[in-house]
Amino acid sequence: MMQGLIEQFGAVLGKQYVLTDDADKVPYLTDWRKRYTGKALAVLLPKTTDEVANIVKLCAAHHVAIVPQGGHTGFCGGATPDNSGNQVILNLKRMNQIRAIDSANQTITLEAGCILQSVQEKAAAQDFLFPLSLGAEGSCMIGGNLATNAGGTNVLRYGNTRDLCLGLEVVTAQGEIWNGIKGLRKDNTGYDLRDLFIGSEGTLGIITAAVMKLYPLPVSQWTTLVATDNIASTIALLTLFQKRATSLLTGFEMMTQESLALNEKHFPHMANPLKGNPPFTVLIELSDHESEEHVRKLLETILEEAFSANLISDAVIASNLSQANTFWHMREHITLAQAEEGANLKHDITIPLSSLESFIQDTDSLMRQKYPGVRIINFGHLGDGNLHYNIAPPLGLDPKAFNLSHEKAIHELVYAQVERCQGSISAEHGVGQLKLADLRAHKGAVAHDLMKALKRALDPQNILNPHKVVSI
Ligand SMILES: Cc1cc2nc3c(=O)[nH]c(=O)nc-3n(C[C@H](O)[C@H](O)[C@H](O)COP(=O)(O)OP(=O)(O)OC[C@H]3O[C@@H](n4cnc5c(N)ncnc54)[C@H](O)[C@@H]3O)c2cc1C
């Protein structure tokens, strides 16, 4: 029966876009962190929305589950199939056309397989800013960004992917095409279907295209690295910048000493330029539409005030674009350094800024008491209260063995502190299969049951990315 289905896939897509040989499938089967590897009946590479719809109809008729996939850079195993070998991967990379850039409406309409960096470049070529920016931008795709409601470094000013999206085109679990591809900033016509699909991680529908917001390109950006002694000063510094720079503040990233030491170990050229690698290094970016002098002066004035108030002990302002890029690369390399170091336990969490100090103090102290020598790689988009609170084993211990013994208890320790502070166990990476088991306790029974009811209503056959986010 399966051979017949493979042939029908070939009839829809063209045989060369149905990958069934083991060697051809390998690149699609393991996630970026190499945490999950699955098997697949086939990898399907559609080019058009109609092709996606026809594939879904075929899968629905044969009860075959579909795992939608973009750049496969997600951190929660959402785009990796299970081990049954009965699921198909639907990778959207061939759907990579920009359909339109509407200058008056300040929108871009594009297909789900467009790579994020190429969208930024296309927008810039037309004098627009597409503000979504994250470490994986060279390979993640807009469909994946929408499906995970990705965050990144510009959320502070422009919001997350949900905030940037005005309309969607989606193929439903029945293979119907929902055309919600309107570039409207106001549309109060009942339930917001767009918001339902954003962040649903491929479990409710397959996003094939979107209308996204564009912004005017800033005329000037200034980037600085500053040293702080503790988290309280770092938060006070954020408040100061928010007061003085208001909407010109476009980046506020925190990196701890331990995070940057790991960076230096694996990427010596990414060493912290601040003397002695201080306890906390903060990367701050201001963007301005007025003039270079205006924003530079503003930055210097705020830094002087921060020095006078003893909030910072050192600062270096990037003297040119290339140095500013190096600062950002330093921030982005922490994730890569962790990957080089070996398996680690990630916690992508949000905490209200008012509780952040108590969260870090208590969690650090409990962690070090229970697991002496453990390395806490804590960094993140502090402006949004988003920490990447990651745990690496004590030096000299085998990371895999350490994780096997302590993973559950370490997650429980961190998540208990997150709940105490009324935070979230997933700030921007989603749920996927990684946090499936933790979701019910975190959301509460009512919210979790509502999510299951939605899943059952939209995908009664449970063929869209089953056992990701919620199991029904
Ligand atoms: C170095 C690095 C840095 C990162 N930094 C950040 C960061 O700062 N902020 C952040 O939020 N994330 C970050 N990530 C995580 C990741 O890049 C994002 O989650 C990204 O949005 C995933 O996009 P993707 O195309 O790779 O999606 P995939 O990994 O392919 O898929 C992710 C999920 O979306 C579903 N999906 C994919 N495409 C579709 C579609 N068209 N329709 C329906 N469902 C779909 C998949 O089934 C899966 O559940 C980082 C990752 C790396 C490797």
Side-chain angles (χ1 to χ4, degrees):
M1 175 194 113
M2 287 309 174
Q3 192 48 41
L5 181 61
I6 299 283
E7 277 164 23
Q8 291 181 68
F9 288 149
V12 174
L13 301 177
K15 270 189 189 147
Q16 67 273 41
Y17 300 118
V18 180
L19 312 182
T20 50
D21 285 352
D22 286 345
D24 294 339
K25 288 190 281 187
V26 164
Y28 302 88
L29 297 177
T30 301
D31 71 321
W32 188 89
R33 287 180 68 199
K34 300 193 172 39
R35 202 190 146 101
Y36 299 102
T37 295
K39 294 184 186 141
L41 178 65
V43 177
L44 307 177
L45 303 170
K47 179 70 185 155
T48 66
T49 305
D50 282 340
E51 287 181 2
V52 174
N54 288 331
I55 291 294
V56 175
K57 280 182 189 148
L58 277 175
C59 290
H62 293 84
H63 300 280
V64 167
I66 301 166
V67 180
Q69 192 177 84
H72 212 179
T73 66
F75 280 151
C76 298
T80 316
D82 67 15
N83 270 314
S84 66
N86 296 327
Q87 303 188 324
V88 293
I89 294 173
L90 190 75
N91 185 298
L92 289 122
K93 68 179 179 185
R94 290 180 64 233
M95 294 190 61
N96 58 3
Q97 298 302 302
I98 305 280
R99 292 189 186 165
I101 292 186
D102 182 336
S103 299
N105 203 35
Q106 303 205 359
T107 51
I108 182 166
T109 304
L110 73 184
E111 292 181 347
C114 290
I115 289 186
L116 173 55
Q117 192 176 333
S118 74
V119 181
Q120 296 163 346
E121 287 166 1
K122 290 266 166 41
Q126 305 266 340
D127 238 12
F128 281 114
L129 172 74
F130 182 62
L132 184 64
S133 177
L134 46 107
E137 62 199 21
S139 39
C140 65
M141 297 175 193
I142 288 296
N145 301 147
L146 284 158
T148 56
N149 184 26
T153 51
N154 275 329
V155 174
L156 179 65
R157 166 70 180 85
Y158 297 99
N160 47 34
T161 310
R162 184 187 302 282
D163 299 304
L164 299 173
C165 179
L166 295 175
L168 286 183
E169 178 187 87
V170 173
V171 172
T172 69
Q174 292 71 34
E176 287 168 336
I177 299 169
W178 170 54
N179 181 354
I181 202 99
K182 288 179 181 171
L184 303 178
R185 285 172 173 79
K186 287 189 168 181
D187 182 11
N188 266 352
T189 49
Y191 307 138
D192 196 326
L193 299 177
R194 176 196 57 192
D195 271 349
L196 197 57
F197 291 111
I198 296 172
S200 69
E201 300 181 54
T203 61
L204 299 181
I206 295 163
I207 298 167
T208 47
V211 190
M212 309 295 291
K213 290 182 197 169
L214 296 174
Y215 291 84
L217 264 182
V219 293
S220 179
Q221 285 183 308
W222 284 91
T223 311
T224 179
L225 288 178
V226 304
T228 64
D229 286 340
N230 52 54
I231 194 70
S233 309
T234 312
I235 294 168
L237 184 70
L238 171 65
T239 309
L240 177 68
F241 266 90
Q242 283 173 323
K243 269 194 190 147
R244 302 281 182 262
T246 60
S247 63
L248 303 194
L249 178 63
T250 47
F252 197 96
E253 299 284 319
M254 182 273 281
M255 299 164 274
T256 57
Q257 196 169 51
E258 253 173 329
S259 315
L260 291 176
L262 193 68
N263 237 5
E264 189 171 352
K265 176 175 167 191
H266 292 287
F267 305 105
H269 65 294
M270 287 285 144
N272 191 347
L274 291 175
K275 230 182 318 155
N277 188 17
F280 292 88
T281 296
V282 188
L283 189 166
I284 302 165
E285 181 193 78
L286 299 189
S287 306
D288 195 16
H289 294 86
E290 197 176 314
S291 70
E292 195 156 331
E293 297 70 43
H294 175 254
V295 64
R296 164 95 199 195
K297 208 160 176 294
L298 179 68
L299 178 59
E300 286 170 352
T301 309
I302 305 174
L303 288 178
E304 273 164 26
E305 195 177 341
F307 269 118
S308 308
N310 286 325
L311 296 180
I312 60 175
S313 53
D314 194 6
V316 46
I317 298 180
S319 53
N320 52 40
L321 185 63
S322 143
Q323 201 181 10
N325 287 339
T326 307
F327 291 177
W328 278 108
H329 287 153
M330 189 177 97
R331 159 68 182 81
E332 281 150 11
H333 269 70
I334 301 172
T335 307
L336 308 179
Q338 286 183 99
E340 290 291 318
E341 184 74 2
N344 58 85
L345 299 174
K346 286 194 191 296
H347 306 95
D348 160 45
I349 55 180
T350 348
I351 303 292
L353 282 168
S354 44
S355 304
L356 205 63
E357 187 184 4
S358 125
F359 171 85
I360 292 178
Q361 277 172 357
D362 290 1
T363 318
D364 281 7
S365 137
L366 287 168
M367 195 67 75
R368 293 196 202 283
Q369 259 171 38
K370 251 190 133 184
Y371 307 98
V374 85
R375 288 165 296 156
I376 302 174
I377 311 300
N378 182 9
F379 63 100
H381 314 296
L382 194 90
D384 319 314
N386 181 184
L387 296 182
H388 296 313
Y389 192 87
N390 301 337
I391 305 297
L395 278 171
L397 292 191
D398 173 44
K400 282 204 173 125
F402 178 85
N403 291 352
L404 207 63
S405 310
H406 303 299
E407 173 163 9
K408 196 166 175 285
I410 286 181
H411 285 329
E412 277 170 11
L413 189 161
V414 175
Y415 292 156
Q417 293 301 316
V418 170
E419 301 302 349
R420 178 181 68 76
C421 297
Q422 301 200 312
S424 170
I425 62 165
S426 182
E428 57 175 10
H429 295 162
V431 177
Q433 44 185 312
L434 181 69
K435 297 181 183 173
L436 180 76
D438 301 304
L439 200 69
R440 187 181 169 87
H442 176 64
K443 298 290 277 190
V446 175
H448 196 252
D449 287 350
L450 282 170
M451 286 174 70
K452 289 208 291 195
L454 283 170
K455 170 73 175 165
R456 277 193 214 102
L458 268 72
D459 180 19
Q461 281 200 83
N462 200 18
I463 60 163
L464 291 181
N465 223 1
H467 308 299
K468 311 280 173 56
V469 187
V470 283
S471 279
I472 54 168

Coordinates of all heavy atoms in Angstrom, one line a residue, residues 23-97:
A23 N 19.9 7.5 2.2 CA 21.0 8.5 2.1 C 20.4 9.9 1.9 O 20.8 10.9 2.4 CB 22.0 8.2 1.1
D24 N 19.4 10.0 1.0 CA 18.7 11.3 0.7 C 18.0 11.8 1.9 O 17.8 13.0 2.1 CB 17.8 11.1 -0.5 CG 18.5 10.8 -1.8 OD1 19.7 11.1 -1.8 OD2 17.9 10.2 -2.7
K25 N 17.4 10.9 2.7 CA 16.6 11.3 3.8 C 17.4 11.8 5.0 O 16.9 12.7 5.8 CB 15.7 10.2 4.3 CG 14.5 9.9 3.3 CD 13.5 8.9 3.8 CE 14.0 7.5 3.8 NZ 13.0 6.5 4.2
V26 N 18.6 11.3 5.1 CA 19.4 11.6 6.4 C 19.4 13.1 6.8 O 19.2 13.4 8.0 CB 20.8 11.0 6.2 CG1 21.8 11.6 7.2 CG2 20.8 9.5 6.3
P27 N 19.7 14.0 5.9 CA 19.8 15.4 6.3 C 18.5 16.0 7.0 O 18.6 17.0 7.6 CB 20.1 16.2 5.1 CG 20.5 15.2 4.1 CD 19.9 13.9 4.4
Y28 N 17.4 15.3 6.8 CA 16.1 15.8 7.3 C 15.7 15.1 8.6 O 14.7 15.5 9.2 CB 15.0 15.6 6.3 CG 15.3 16.2 4.9 CD1 16.1 15.6 4.0 CD2 14.9 17.5 4.7 CE1 16.4 16.1 2.7 CE2 15.2 18.1 3.4 CZ 15.9 17.4 2.5 OH 16.2 18.0 1.3
L29 N 16.5 14.2 9.1 CA 16.0 13.3 10.2 C 16.5 13.7 11.6 O 16.0 13.2 12.6 CB 16.4 11.8 9.9 CG 15.8 11.3 8.6 CD1 16.3 9.8 8.4 CD2 14.2 11.3 8.7
T30 N 17.5 14.5 11.7 CA 18.1 14.9 13.0 C 18.0 16.4 13.2 O 18.3 17.2 12.3 CB 19.6 14.4 13.0 OG1 19.6 13.0 12.8 CG2 20.2 14.7 14.4
D31 N 17.6 16.7 14.4 CA 17.5 18.2 14.7 C 18.8 18.9 14.9 O 19.9 18.2 15.0 CB 16.6 18.4 15.9 CG 17.3 18.0 17.2 OD1 18.0 17.0 17.2 OD2 17.1 18.7 18.2
W32 N 18.8 20.2 14.9 CA 20.1 21.0 15.0 C 20.9 20.6 16.2 O 22.1 20.6 16.1 CB 19.7 22.5 15.0 CG 20.9 23.4 14.8 CD1 21.4 23.9 13.7 CD2 21.7 23.9 15.9 NE1 22.5 24.7 13.9 CE2 22.7 24.7 15.3 CE3 21.7 23.8 17.3 CZ2 23.7 25.4 16.0 CZ3 22.7 24.5 18.0 CH2 23.6 25.3 17.4
R33 N 20.3 20.4 17.3 CA 21.0 20.1 18.5 C 21.5 18.6 18.6 O 22.1 18.2 19.5 CB 20.1 20.3 19.8 CG 19.9 21.8 20.1 CD 19.0 22.0 21.3 NE 19.7 21.5 22.5 CZ 19.1 21.2 23.6 NH1 17.8 21.3 23.7 NH2 19.7 20.8 24.7
K34 N 21.1 17.8 17.6 CA 21.4 16.4 17.5 C 20.8 15.7 18.7 O 21.4 14.7 19.3 CB 22.9 16.2 17.4 CG 23.5 16.8 16.2 CD 24.9 16.3 15.9 CE 25.5 16.8 14.6 NZ 25.2 18.1 14.2
R35 N 19.7 16.1 19.2 CA 19.1 15.5 20.3 C 18.1 14.5 19.9 O 17.9 13.5 20.5 CB 18.3 16.6 21.1 CG 18.1 16.3 22.5 CD 17.2 17.3 23.2 NE 16.4 16.5 24.2 CZ 16.6 16.5 25.5 NH1 17.6 17.2 26.0 NH2 15.9 15.8 26.3
Y36 N 17.4 14.7 18.7 CA 16.4 13.8 18.3 C 16.7 13.3 16.8 O 17.1 14.1 16.0 CB 15.0 14.5 18.2 CG 14.5 15.0 19.5 CD1 14.6 16.3 19.9 CD2 14.0 14.1 20.4 CE1 14.2 16.8 21.1 CE2 13.5 14.5 21.7 CZ 13.6 15.9 22.0 OH 13.2 16.3 23.2
T37 N 16.6 12.0 16.6 CA 16.7 11.5 15.3 C 15.5 10.6 15.0 O 15.2 9.7 15.9 CB 18.0 10.7 15.1 OG1 19.1 11.6 15.2 CG2 18.1 10.1 13.7
G38 N 14.8 10.7 13.9 CA 13.7 9.9 13.7 C 13.8 9.2 12.3 O 14.9 9.1 11.7
K39 N 12.7 8.5 11.9 CA 12.7 7.8 10.6 C 11.6 8.4 9.8 O 10.6 8.9 10.4 CB 12.5 6.3 10.8 CG 13.6 5.6 11.5 CD 13.3 4.2 11.6 CE 14.4 3.5 12.4 NZ 13.8 2.4 13.2
A40 N 11.6 8.3 8.5 CA 10.5 8.9 7.7 C 10.2 7.9 6.5 O 11.2 7.4 5.9 CB 10.8 10.3 7.2
L41 N 8.9 7.8 6.2 CA 8.5 7.1 5.0 C 9.1 7.8 3.8 O 9.6 7.1 2.9 CB 7.0 7.1 5.0 CG 6.3 6.4 3.9 CD1 6.6 4.9 3.9 CD2 4.8 6.7 4.0
A42 N 9.0 9.1 3.8 CA 9.5 9.9 2.7 C 9.7 11.3 3.1 O 9.1 11.7 4.0 CB 8.6 9.8 1.5
V43 N 10.6 12.0 2.4 CA 10.7 13.5 2.5 C 10.1 14.1 1.3 O 10.5 13.8 0.2 CB 12.2 13.9 2.7 CG1 12.3 15.4 2.8 CG2 12.8 13.2 3.9
L44 N 9.1 14.9 1.5 CA 8.4 15.5 0.4 C 8.7 17.0 0.2 O 8.8 17.7 1.2 CB 6.9 15.4 0.6 CG 6.4 13.9 1.0 CD1 4.9 13.9 1.3 CD2 6.7 13.0 -0.2
L45 N 9.0 17.4 -1.0 CA 9.5 18.8 -1.2 C 8.5 19.5 -2.2 O 8.8 19.6 -3.4 CB 10.9 18.7 -1.8 CG 11.9 18.0 -1.0 CD1 13.2 17.8 -1.8 CD2 12.2 18.7 0.3
P46 N 7.4 20.0 -1.7 CA 6.4 20.7 -2.6 C 6.9 22.1 -3.1 O 7.8 22.7 -2.4 CB 5.2 20.9 -1.7 CG 5.8 21.0 -0.3 CD 7.0 20.1 -0.3
K47 N 6.4 22.6 -4.2 CA 6.8 23.9 -4.7 C 5.6 24.9 -4.6 O 5.9 26.1 -4.6 CB 7.2 23.7 -6.2 CG 7.6 24.9 -6.9 CD 8.9 25.5 -6.4 CE 9.3 26.8 -7.1 NZ 10.2 27.6 -6.3
T48 N 4.4 24.4 -4.5 CA 3.2 25.3 -4.5 C 2.3 24.9 -3.4 O 2.3 23.8 -2.9 CB 2.5 25.2 -5.9 OG1 1.9 23.9 -6.0 CG2 3.4 25.5 -7.1
T49 N 1.4 25.9 -3.1 CA 0.3 25.6 -2.1 C -0.6 24.5 -2.5 O -1.0 23.7 -1.7 CB -0.4 26.9 -1.9 OG1 0.5 28.0 -1.5 CG2 -1.5 26.8 -0.8
D50 N -0.9 24.5 -3.8 CA -1.8 23.4 -4.3 C -1.2 22.1 -4.1 O -1.8 21.1 -3.8 CB -2.1 23.6 -5.8 CG -3.1 24.7 -6.0 OD1 -3.9 25.0 -5.0 OD2 -3.2 25.3 -7.1
E51 N 0.1 22.0 -4.4 CA 0.8 20.7 -4.1 C 0.7 20.3 -2.7 O 0.5 19.1 -2.3 CB 2.3 20.8 -4.6 CG 2.5 20.8 -6.1 CD 3.9 20.9 -6.5 OE1 4.9 20.9 -5.7 OE2 4.1 21.0 -7.7
V52 N 0.9 21.3 -1.7 CA 0.8 21.0 -0.3 C -0.6 20.4 0.0 O -0.8 19.4 0.7 CB 1.1 22.2 0.6 CG1 0.9 21.9 2.0 CG2 2.6 22.7 0.4
A53 N -1.6 21.1 -0.6 CA -3.0 20.7 -0.3 C -3.2 19.3 -0.8 O -3.9 18.5 -0.1 CB -3.9 21.7 -0.9
N54 N -2.7 19.0 -2.0 CA -3.0 17.6 -2.5 C -2.2 16.6 -1.7 O -2.7 15.4 -1.6 CB -2.5 17.6 -4.0 CG -3.5 18.4 -4.9 OD1 -4.7 18.5 -4.5 ND2 -3.1 19.0 -6.0
I55 N -1.0 16.9 -1.3 CA -0.3 15.9 -0.4 C -1.1 15.7 0.9 O -1.2 14.5 1.3 CB 1.1 16.5 -0.1 CG1 2.0 16.5 -1.4 CG2 1.8 15.7 1.0 CD1 2.3 15.2 -1.9
V56 N -1.6 16.8 1.5 CA -2.3 16.6 2.8 C -3.6 15.7 2.5 O -3.9 14.8 3.3 CB -2.7 17.9 3.4 CG1 -3.6 17.7 4.6 CG2 -1.4 18.7 3.8
K57 N -4.2 15.9 1.4 CA -5.4 15.1 1.1 C -5.1 13.6 1.0 O -5.7 12.8 1.5 CB -6.1 15.6 -0.2 CG -7.0 16.8 0.0 CD -7.6 17.2 -1.3 CE -8.3 18.6 -1.1 NZ -8.3 19.4 -2.3
L58 N -4.0 13.4 0.3 CA -3.5 12.0 0.2 C -3.2 11.4 1.5 O -3.6 10.3 1.8 CB -2.2 11.9 -0.7 CG -2.4 11.9 -2.2 CD1 -1.0 12.0 -2.9 CD2 -3.1 10.6 -2.6
C59 N -2.5 12.2 2.4 CA -2.1 11.7 3.7 C -3.3 11.4 4.5 O -3.4 10.4 5.3 CB -1.1 12.6 4.4 SG 0.5 12.7 3.6
A60 N -4.3 12.3 4.4 CA -5.5 12.2 5.2 C -6.2 10.9 4.8 O -6.7 10.1 5.6 CB -6.4 13.4 5.1
A61 N -6.3 10.7 3.5 CA -7.0 9.5 3.0 C -6.3 8.2 3.5 O -7.0 7.2 3.7 CB -7.1 9.5 1.5
H62 N -5.0 8.2 3.7 CA -4.2 7.0 4.1 C -3.8 7.0 5.5 O -3.0 6.2 5.9 CB -3.0 6.9 3.2 CG -3.3 6.6 1.7 ND1 -3.6 7.5 0.8 CD2 -3.4 5.4 1.1 CE1 -3.9 6.9 -0.3 NE2 -3.8 5.6 -0.2
H63 N -4.3 8.0 6.3 CA -4.0 8.1 7.7 C -2.5 8.2 8.0 O -1.9 7.5 8.8 CB -4.6 7.0 8.5 CG -6.1 6.9 8.4 ND1 -6.9 7.8 9.2 CD2 -6.9 6.2 7.7 CE1 -8.2 7.5 8.8 NE2 -8.2 6.6 7.9
V64 N -1.8 8.9 7.1 CA -0.3 9.1 7.3 C 0.0 10.4 7.9 O -0.5 11.5 7.5 CB 0.4 8.9 5.9 CG1 1.8 9.4 6.0 CG2 0.3 7.5 5.4
A65 N 0.8 10.4 9.0 CA 1.1 11.7 9.7 C 2.1 12.5 9.0 O 3.0 11.9 8.3 CB 1.6 11.3 11.1
I66 N 2.0 13.8 9.1 CA 2.9 14.7 8.4 C 3.7 15.6 9.4 O 3.1 16.1 10.3 CB 2.0 15.7 7.5 CG1 1.2 14.9 6.5 CG2 2.9 16.7 6.8 CD1 0.1 15.8 5.9
V67 N 5.0 15.6 9.2 CA 5.8 16.5 10.0 C 6.3 17.7 9.2 O 7.1 17.5 8.3 CB 7.0 15.7 10.6 CG1 7.9 16.7 11.5 CG2 6.6 14.5 11.4
P68 N 5.7 18.9 9.4 CA 6.1 20.0 8.6 C 7.5 20.4 9.0 O 7.9 20.3 10.2 CB 5.1 21.1 9.0 CG 4.0 20.5 9.6 CD 4.5 19.2 10.3
Q69 N 8.3 20.9 8.1 CA 9.7 21.2 8.4 C 10.1 22.4 7.5 O 9.8 22.5 6.4 CB 10.6 20.0 8.0 CG 12.0 20.1 8.6 CD 12.8 18.8 8.2 OE1 13.4 18.7 7.1 NE2 12.9 17.9 9.2
G70 N 10.9 23.3 8.2 CA 11.5 24.5 7.5 C 13.0 24.2 7.5 O 13.5 23.3 6.9
G71 N 13.7 25.1 8.2 CA 15.2 25.0 8.3 C 15.7 24.0 9.2 O 16.9 23.7 9.3
H72 N 14.8 23.4 10.0 CA 15.1 22.3 11.0 C 16.1 22.9 12.0 O 17.0 22.1 12.5 CB 15.7 21.1 10.3 CG 15.3 19.8 11.1 ND1 15.7 18.6 10.7 CD2 14.7 19.6 12.3 CE1 15.3 17.7 11.5 NE2 14.6 18.3 12.5
T73 N 16.0 24.1 12.4 CA 16.9 24.7 13.4 C 16.2 24.8 14.8 O 16.8 25.4 15.7 CB 17.3 26.1 13.0 OG1 16.2 27.0 13.0 CG2 18.0 26.1 11.6
G74 N 15.0 24.4 14.9 CA 14.2 24.5 16.1 C 14.9 23.7 17.3 O 15.6 22.8 17.0
F75 N 14.7 24.2 18.5 CA 15.4 23.6 19.7 C 14.5 22.6 20.4 O 15.0 22.1 21.4 CB 15.8 24.8 20.6 CG 17.0 25.5 20.2 CD1 17.2 26.8 20.6 CD2 18.0 24.9 19.5 CE1 18.3 27.5 20.2 CE2 19.2 25.6 19.1 CZ 19.3 26.9 19.5
C76 N 13.3 22.3 20.0 CA 12.4 21.4 20.8 C 12.0 20.2 20.0 O 11.1 19.5 20.4 CB 11.2 22.2 21.2 SG 11.6 23.6 22.3
G77 N 12.7 19.8 19.0 CA 12.4 18.6 18.3 C 11.1 18.6 17.5 O 10.6 17.5 17.2
G78 N 10.5 19.8 17.3 CA 9.2 19.8 16.7 C 9.2 19.4 15.2 O 8.2 18.9 14.7
A79 N 10.3 19.5 14.5 CA 10.3 19.2 13.1 C 11.0 17.8 12.8 O 11.2 17.5 11.6 CB 11.1 20.3 12.3
T80 N 11.2 17.1 13.9 CA 11.8 15.7 13.7 C 10.8 14.7 13.8 O 10.0 14.7 14.7 CB 12.9 15.5 14.8 OG1 13.7 16.7 14.9 CG2 13.8 14.4 14.4
P81 N 10.7 13.7 12.9 CA 9.7 12.7 12.9 C 10.0 11.7 14.1 O 11.1 11.7 14.6 CB 9.8 12.0 11.6 CG 11.2 12.2 11.2 CD 11.6 13.5 11.7
D82 N 9.0 10.9 14.4 CA 9.2 9.8 15.4 C 9.9 8.7 14.8 O 10.4 8.7 13.7 CB 7.8 9.4 16.0 CG 6.9 8.7 15.1 OD1 7.4 8.2 14.0 OD2 5.7 8.6 15.4
N83 N 10.0 7.6 15.5 CA 10.8 6.4 15.1 C 10.1 5.4 14.3 O 10.7 4.3 14.0 CB 11.5 5.8 16.3 CG 12.9 6.4 16.5 OD1 13.6 6.6 15.6 ND2 13.1 6.8 17.8
S84 N 8.8 5.6 14.1 CA 8.0 4.6 13.4 C 8.3 4.3 12.0 O 8.2 3.2 11.5 CB 6.5 5.0 13.5 OG 6.3 6.1 12.7
G85 N 8.8 5.4 11.3 CA 9.1 5.2 9.9 C 7.8 5.4 9.1 O 7.8 5.2 7.8
N86 N 6.7 5.7 9.7 CA 5.4 5.8 9.0 C 5.0 7.3 8.7 O 4.0 7.5 8.0 CB 4.3 5.2 9.9 CG 4.5 3.7 10.1 OD1 5.0 3.1 9.2 ND2 4.1 3.2 11.2
Q87 N 5.8 8.2 9.3 CA 5.5 9.6 9.0 C 6.2 10.2 7.8 O 7.3 9.7 7.5 CB 5.9 10.4 10.3 CG 5.2 9.9 11.6 CD 5.5 10.9 12.8 OE1 6.6 11.4 12.9 NE2 4.5 11.0 13.6
V88 N 5.6 11.2 7.2 CA 6.3 11.9 6.1 C 6.8 13.2 6.6 O 6.1 13.9 7.4 CB 5.5 12.0 4.8 CG1 5.2 10.7 4.2 CG2 4.2 12.8 5.0
I89 N 7.9 13.7 6.1 CA 8.4 15.0 6.4 C 8.0 15.9 5.2 O 8.2 15.5 4.0 CB 9.9 15.0 6.5 CG1 10.3 14.2 7.8 CG2 10.4 16.5 6.6 CD1 11.8 14.1 7.9
L90 N 7.3 17.0 5.5 CA 7.0 17.9 4.4 C 7.9 19.2 4.6 O 7.6 20.0 5.4 CB 5.5 18.3 4.6 CG 4.9 19.1 3.4 CD1 4.7 18.1 2.2 CD2 3.6 19.7 3.8
N91 N 8.9 19.2 3.8 CA 9.9 20.3 3.9 C 9.6 21.4 2.9 O 9.5 21.1 1.7 CB 11.3 19.8 3.8 CG 12.3 20.9 4.0 OD1 12.4 21.9 3.3 ND2 13.1 20.7 5.0
L92 N 9.4 22.6 3.4 CA 8.9 23.7 2.5 C 10.0 24.5 1.8 O 9.7 25.6 1.3 CB 7.9 24.6 3.3 CG 6.7 23.8 3.6 CD1 6.4 23.7 5.1 CD2 5.5 24.3 2.8
K93 N 11.2 24.0 1.8 CA 12.3 24.9 1.3 C 12.2 25.3 -0.2 O 12.7 26.4 -0.6 CB 13.6 24.2 1.5 CG 13.9 23.0 0.7 CD 15.3 22.4 1.0 CE 15.5 21.2 0.2 NZ 16.8 20.6 0.5
R94 N 11.4 24.6 -1.0 CA 11.3 25.0 -2.4 C 10.2 26.1 -2.5 O 10.1 26.7 -3.6 CB 10.9 23.8 -3.2 CG 12.1 22.8 -3.4 CD 11.7 21.6 -4.3 NE 11.4 22.0 -5.6 CZ 10.2 21.6 -6.3 NH1 9.3 20.9 -5.7 NH2 10.1 22.0 -7.5
M95 N 9.4 26.3 -1.5 CA 8.4 27.4 -1.5 C 9.1 28.7 -1.0 O 8.9 29.1 0.1 CB 7.2 27.0 -0.7 CG 6.5 25.8 -1.3 SD 4.9 25.5 -0.6 CE 4.0 27.0 -0.9
N96 N 9.9 29.3 -1.9 CA 10.8 30.4 -1.4 C 10.6 31.6 -2.2 O 11.6 32.4 -2.4 CB 12.3 29.9 -1.4 CG 12.7 29.4 -2.8 OD1 11.9 29.5 -3.7 ND2 13.9 29.0 -2.9
Q97 N 9.4 31.9 -2.7 CA 9.2 33.1 -3.5 C 8.7 34.2 -2.7 O 7.9 34.1 -1.8 CB 8.2 32.8 -4.6 CG 8.6 31.7 -5.6 CD 9.9 32.1 -6.3 OE1 10.0 33.1 -6.9 NE2 10.9 31.2 -6.1

